[in-house]
Amino acid sequence: MSDRPAPEHLLTSVQMARFVAHGFVRLDAVVPEELNADAVDVLSAGIPAVPYGTPVAEAFAPGSLPARLIGVPAVAGALHSLVGPAPHVDHHAVHVREPGEGSAQPLHGDAIIDVRPDAFDVQLMYYPREVTLRAGGTLIVPGSHLRRTNESDTGRYQNLRGQHRLTCPAGTVVILHHGLWHGGRRNEGTERRYMFKIRFNPVVRQRLLWNTADLDDPAVAEELRVQFPWYEQATGRLEFHNRVRLWRALTGEDDFDLDHWVTRVSNRPERLPADA
């Protein structure tokens, strides 16, 4: 992942703005069928752990399932757009939801409190088999990633308006901001539901890493203004504030704003009153 992918495989500015607002990128059926066919056996056998902070080129041997997965052009392009070249591997895990297994996983974010306003990790989630509504797909709450919570603080929340329970074709990859609220659902189907997760840490500043040809497209601001049904009327405005701060960090446009959400609270006049 050290070479910059071709522009057509990178995310666009509109897609990046959608990630900033929603907290995830979804790539449906981008993984070739031959890799999906190999994946179940490989994931069932397990994938050896790597130490925290291992460079991705050292974490996975050439030709291995993870190396082939992150080498898929659409996946490589999305990862480069979000975390840049040669990220480090935080950890990886194989998650299996057995048919009829226990209860659903509590809603959570995969991190302790993380107060970085200008950087983020991403979590790649790969589904080698089709995920039906009964198969225990991952539940996510769009737009939840910029609220500062501590891992399972949200575990008591149930059935938030606008939540999204994943159904997808085989070979789908979803890439999450590390703070997005999510949880595996109970598998009420007849087959195991497999998901392979890799968390990536950026090692470069996450600024203008995507295809910026459409950076001035008005659709960028429209994506950043999207609202979600679970937002409170007043407190929900905080989401716009946090999105603007993150977009400024990603683009270097320190004067970017949406209806003065950040400008109005960053005013620091230095001029003394005339009669001082």
Side-chain angles (χ1 to χ4, degrees):
M1 291 179 59
S2 58
D3 296 329
R4 185 178 177 87
E8 63 268 22
H9 298 310
L10 295 170
L11 299 180
T12 65
S13 299
V14 172
Q15 288 174 312
M16 282 296 297
R18 184 175 178 83
F19 175 85
V20 168
H22 287 71
F24 67 97
V25 170
R26 176 170 166 160
L27 307 171
D28 276 23
V30 295
V31 178
E33 183 52 41
E34 58 269 23
L35 199 158
N36 294 331
D38 294 341
V40 170
D41 287 343
V42 173
L43 297 181
S44 296
I47 296 177
V50 297
Y52 165 81
T54 302
V56 67
E58 301 173 16
F60 307 121
S64 66
L65 177 76
R68 293 164 63 195
L69 172 63
I70 62 179
V72 172
V75 176
L79 286 174
H80 188 285
S81 299
L82 294 165
V83 294
H88 288 177
V89 173
D90 183 286
H91 70 283
H92 65 76
V94 177
H95 291 290
V96 179
R97 301 294 290 180
E98 298 284 355
E101 175 191 18
S103 59
Q105 189 180 35
L107 198 63
H108 65 283
D110 276 2
I112 59 172
I113 291 174
D114 190 329
V115 296
R116 292 177 293 173
D118 56 351
F120 54 88
D121 297 343
V122 298
Q123 296 199 145
L124 179 153
M125 296 182 172
Y126 162 52
Y127 302 86
R129 286 178 171 171
E130 178 188 12
V131 179
T132 66
L133 188 61
R134 293 177 55 82
T138 306
L139 180 79
I140 61 175
V141 181
S144 59
H145 54 299
L146 299 181
R147 294 217 173 181
R148 305 306 183 191
T149 61
N150 184 7
E151 199 159 355
S152 294
D153 284 352
T154 53
R156 64 187 183 276
Y157 298 154
Q158 300 290 326
N159 299 318
L160 293 175
R161 292 178 62 202
Q163 67 186 19
H164 174 70
R165 182 170 176 174
L166 178 73
T167 60
C168 65
T172 292
V173 170
V174 182
I175 303 176
L176 312 182
H177 183 287
H178 72 260
L180 194 72
W181 303 354
H182 67 283
R185 298 292 88 184
R186 176 182 167 88
N187 183 356
E188 297 175 344
T190 59
E191 291 188 323
R192 284 181 162 186
R193 192 272 282 166
Y194 289 86
M195 186 269 279
F196 177 50
K197 176 185 77 174
I198 312 174
R199 179 164 172 162
F200 294 96
N201 311 132
V203 296
V204 300
R205 190 169 189 176
Q206 290 159 283
R207 176 166 291 179
L208 300 175
L209 298 173
W210 61 92
N211 183 348
T212 59
D214 63 337
L215 190 58
D216 296 325
D217 190 329
V220 167
E222 292 307 307
E223 288 287 353
L224 294 172
R225 286 192 178 97
V226 69
Q227 298 204 46
F228 297 103
W230 65 274
Y231 284 176
E232 312 90 337
Q233 182 177 359
T235 311
R237 299 169 186 169
L238 178 64
E239 310 308 329
F240 296 103
H241 179 92
N242 288 334
R243 290 176 197 172
V244 170
R245 293 177 67 198
L246 181 53
W247 191 251
R248 287 184 177 189
L250 290 173
T251 62
E253 297 179 357
D254 292 337
D255 58 350
F256 179 87
D257 211 341
L258 299 171
D259 305 318
H260 314 296
W261 288 116
V262 176
T263 305
R264 61 163 44 99
V265 295
S266 57
N267 185 21
R268 298 292 188 277
E270 296 183 3
R271 182 173 60 85
L272 293 172
D275 57 352

